[in-house]
Amino acid sequence: MNTIQLPNLNENADVTQPIVIGAKAYTFNFRWVDTFCVLDILLKDRYLVKGRAMTTGSDLIGRVKDDELITGSLFLVNKYGYSVEPTQENFSTDYYLVWVE
């Protein structure tokens, strides 16, 4: 299990950051839209995930079938074990991504 720190979307509602998982460098784009975060994951210039709403309790990459995709599962997790959705204010402080191979 690996954890990925989330960006502060309260300061900037659209953040792109490189994230290395396994031996591959992905580009994650986090955008806050209305009441939720939308996730894009790119490998080089190719979208692997586009416009996926980040919700707790669902595998963010589970429905995507692509040989280039990160293997395993990717979940949004509340640091305190709560099953509530994040707000723009607590997205980076109370949540993180968990990647399970």
Side-chain angles (χ1 to χ4, degrees):
M1 179 173 86
N2 302 290
T3 60
I4 300 168
Q5 203 59 25
L6 295 170
N8 185 342
L9 297 181
N10 202 33
E11 292 177 0
N12 182 357
D14 191 344
V15 175
T16 299
Q17 67 185 47
I19 296 176
V20 176
I21 297 179
K24 295 180 182 177
Y26 298 90
T27 301
F28 279 54
N29 179 252
F30 302 90
R31 286 184 322 278
W32 195 265
V33 180
D34 295 322
T35 60
F36 58 92
C37 180
V38 174
L39 174 66
D40 299 329
I41 302 174
L42 294 95
L43 181 61
K44 298 177 183 165
D45 291 332
R46 186 170 159 230
Y47 281 94
L48 301 175
V49 173
K50 185 169 181 163
R52 176 77 158 101
M54 295 185 68
T55 58
T56 58
S58 65
D59 185 356
L60 298 170
I61 59 174
R63 293 183 181 166
V64 179
K65 304 300 178 209
D66 191 311
D67 293 338
E68 296 284 331
L69 187 64
I70 307 161
T71 57
S73 300
L74 187 65
F75 295 97
L76 178 67
V77 176
N78 180 281
K79 291 179 180 180
Y80 308 107
Y82 302 133
S83 60
V84 295
E85 300 305 326
T87 64
Q88 190 171 2
E89 291 75 23
N90 71 5
F91 182 74
S92 66
T93 58
D94 294 1
Y95 294 83
Y96 55 88
L97 286 175
V98 173
W99 169 56
V100 181
E101 290 183 76

